[in-house]
Structures are given as C-alpha cells and as structure tokens.
Amino acid sequence: MAAILLSVSCSHSSTPSRSSSPLVLISSLKAASKPSSISFASSISDASITVNSLAGTSFPHTDNRQIGVVQAAWTRRSRGEAAKKPNRKSWRQRTDMYMRPFLLNVFFSKRFIHAKVMHRGTSKVVSVASTNAKDLRNTLPSLTDYDACRTIGQLIAERSKEADVFAMAFEPKKNERIEGKLGIVLDTIKVNGIIFV
C-alpha cells in the first residue's frame, strides 16, 4: 500500500507547503483559537480537502479492473452457449431418475398385453406381468380384452408390493392418451394400492 502524505497549511501562513509527491493536500485550514470541545474533528471543522492525481502512478491492486465490481461465480448460460451444447440435459431431466426411480411400462400388441416396472437407475426389472405367461394364457378367455387389462393391473400391483415398491411413475408416449385399455390398467393399479407420482 502506498503511504499517504499529508501537508497542512494554516490560515495564518502565507503559502501552502507542498511535499515532493503528495497524494492528498489539505488546504485552507483555519485554526480555531479555542476549540469548543476536546475532539480533533471540532478543531478542523472548516478544512477543505482536495485530491491531486499523480501522472504515471500505477497501483498493483487495480490491474485495469473496476474496483468494487463483484463478478458472479455462476451465471446462467446464454442462448448462444446453449446452442453450442444442445445435448446438455435440463435440471429435471438430470434429477427425475432419482426423484421418481420406478417407471411403469405398458405395451399392447395385437395378441398380448405386457407390463413391467423398472428401476431407472439400475435398469432392474422389479415386477412383470404378461398375458403371454403360461398361467394366464390358458386361463383367460381373451388375452387383449378389458378383463385381461384388469388382471395385468392387479398382478403388477401385487408383485410391486412384494418388492416393496408402493409408488411409481408412468410417462405416456407422444400423442398417447390415457384411455381405453391403458386407462383400465392404470386404474386397476391405483385401486390395488399403488401411488402414481
């Protein structure tokens, strides 16, 4: 830190005295004959302070930056930066696997109905049910009707509870409506005590 040199001139002196390289010059100081209080500030109440700038003086702590400006440690990406990295996932995409770990997948073919509950993080299948299984294929009159949908929903709910899974998520595909056979499967799972999150 540079040392600050002060030069004080009183009102009774003829010319103000200057140091060789002063940073701050205090001039026109009127000395009070008798200060009203003991404090130093009351004795120099009429002092005026002027700052002289020194040409060619550089300070090492400035480094051509503005003093007092705090730069943020993290800023939101601009659209240009987002366009450069289009594959970066959003916060929801990155955390959804942990917030809703169990995912229900239902597939309807022309002949059968398949449903499974999978853990997203480990890709482990928790429970599965299909009308193509031996026990259901020989007992159900039809493998694709509404009664088969109710049976699949009930089996998925029971097998998920056995695996200690009481909440799961279902993400419909694009332009897929939750109605008809899919609605029956989901309603049956809800009725049997599974919560959809």
Side-chain angles (χ1 to χ4, degrees):
M1 220 35 184
I4 298 176
L5 302 175
L6 299 176
S7 62
V8 178
S9 64
C10 298
S11 60
H12 56 80
S13 64
S14 59
T15 58
S17 62
R18 295 188 66 163
S19 177
S20 60
S21 61
L23 292 178
V24 177
L25 175 64
I26 300 177
S27 63
S28 303
L29 178 64
K30 295 182 181 179
S33 59
K34 291 184 180 179
S36 60
S37 66
I38 302 175
S39 68
F40 177 73
S42 64
S43 63
I44 57 169
S45 60
D46 296 332
S48 61
I49 299 173
T50 59
V51 177
N52 292 340
S53 62
L54 297 176
T57 305
S58 63
F59 298 103
H61 64 276
T62 56
D63 293 335
N64 296 327
R65 290 178 290 177
Q66 293 180 354
I67 300 173
V69 176
V70 178
Q71 294 182 353
W74 180 86
T75 55
R76 192 177 67 176
R77 295 188 307 156
S78 63
R79 291 181 182 176
E81 290 176 339
K84 291 177 186 176
K85 297 180 182 178
N87 295 330
R88 180 163 179 182
K89 295 180 181 179
S90 66
W91 174 257
R92 182 177 177 183
Q93 289 172 335
R94 284 181 280 161
T95 59
D96 196 36
M97 179 175 69
Y98 306 103
M99 302 300 285
R100 302 187 303 164
F102 297 101
L103 186 65
L104 173 67
N105 184 12
V106 183
F107 175 70
F108 298 94
S109 68
K110 291 182 180 179
R111 297 175 60 193
F112 307 110
I113 301 171
H114 304 279
K116 67 178 178 179
V117 177
M118 188 177 67
H119 187 265
R120 289 166 140 182
T122 59
S123 298
K124 181 181 177 182
V125 177
V126 176
S127 64
V128 83
S130 175
T131 55
N132 195 21
K134 287 183 180 179
D135 55 344
L136 294 179
R137 187 172 29 182
N138 298 327
T139 57
L140 291 174
S142 175
L143 302 180
T144 57
D145 64 347
Y146 291 158
D147 290 333
C149 293
R150 290 186 188 94
T151 305
I152 292 296
Q154 186 175 359
L155 284 173
I156 284 288
E158 290 173 359
R159 292 173 183 175
S160 297
K161 286 179 183 177
E162 290 174 3
D164 291 332
V165 176
F166 297 95
M168 62 184 68
F170 177 74
E171 292 181 356
K173 298 174 184 176
K174 189 177 181 180
N175 298 328
E176 184 180 20
R177 295 181 179 179
I178 300 177
E179 60 185 10
K181 294 179 181 179
L182 179 60
I184 290 174
V185 172
L186 297 180
D187 288 340
T188 308
I189 293 173
K190 286 180 186 177
V191 166
N192 284 280
I194 300 294
I195 301 170
F196 281 94
V197 292

